[in-house]
Amino acid sequence: QVQLVESGGGLVQAGGSLRLSCVASGKIVSIGDMGWYRQAPGKPRELVGYVTSGGLTKYGDSVKGRFTISRDNAKFKVFLQMNNLERDDTAVYFCNAENVYLGTYYYDYWGQGTQVTVSS
């Protein structure tokens, strides 16, 4: 079984920074895209950004220029560096891994989420 475990969430003041980490564990051969989504209370889950296995990145419009995604393919890790945080960034952040190859089939997985709260 594959698990995604996020870490690094917490409380930060507006203008501050946080770094989220996510590690995938299990009998994984390879992972396609790895990324982050977030969900604020009463709102749908939205894309924060993702990075392909080749290092290409895509970001949601609201975080462009402030957030940076990176990954360590060898360790099945993905990171989210969040700078200049705003109150609207408050949400539960979920790690996502797509096209996780386990040797026979491909699967998609989600982490359980980590809370990020930005105070004024």
Side-chain angles (χ1 to χ4, degrees):
Q1 187 69 1
V2 172
Q3 284 190 316
L4 300 184
V5 178
E6 302 104 333
S7 61
L11 175 65
V12 64
Q13 286 191 328
S17 298
L18 277 177
R19 179 176 169 87
L20 304 184
S21 299
C22 171
V23 59
S25 62
K27 295 183 178 180
I28 301 169
V29 176
S30 63
I31 301 177
D33 298 346
M34 297 189 77
W36 296 90
Y37 289 72
R38 67 185 183 186
Q39 187 165 20
K43 294 186 177 181
R45 190 172 295 191
E46 66 171 356
L47 172 70
V48 176
Y50 66 82
V51 54
T52 68
S53 58
L56 298 177
T57 56
K58 179 179 174 63
Y59 297 95
D61 288 341
S62 61
V63 306
K64 284 180 182 177
R66 299 187 298 122
F67 291 9
T68 302
I69 291 179
S70 59
R71 65 189 281 176
D72 183 333
N73 286 334
K75 297 181 179 179
F76 302 130
K77 289 184 175 181
V78 64
F79 308 97
L80 179 65
Q81 178 66 43
M82 304 184 291
N83 297 328
N84 193 19
L85 282 159
E86 304 169 353
R87 288 195 66 185
D88 285 347
D89 295 319
T90 296
V92 178
Y93 284 69
F94 297 90
C95 178
N96 170 256
E98 293 189 356
N99 292 322
V100 180
Y101 185 51
L102 304 184
T104 51
Y105 298 103
Y106 292 84
Y107 301 88
D108 297 341
Y109 294 95
W110 290 90
Q112 292 195 332
T114 185
Q115 177 70 46
V116 171
T117 303
V118 183
S119 64
S120 58

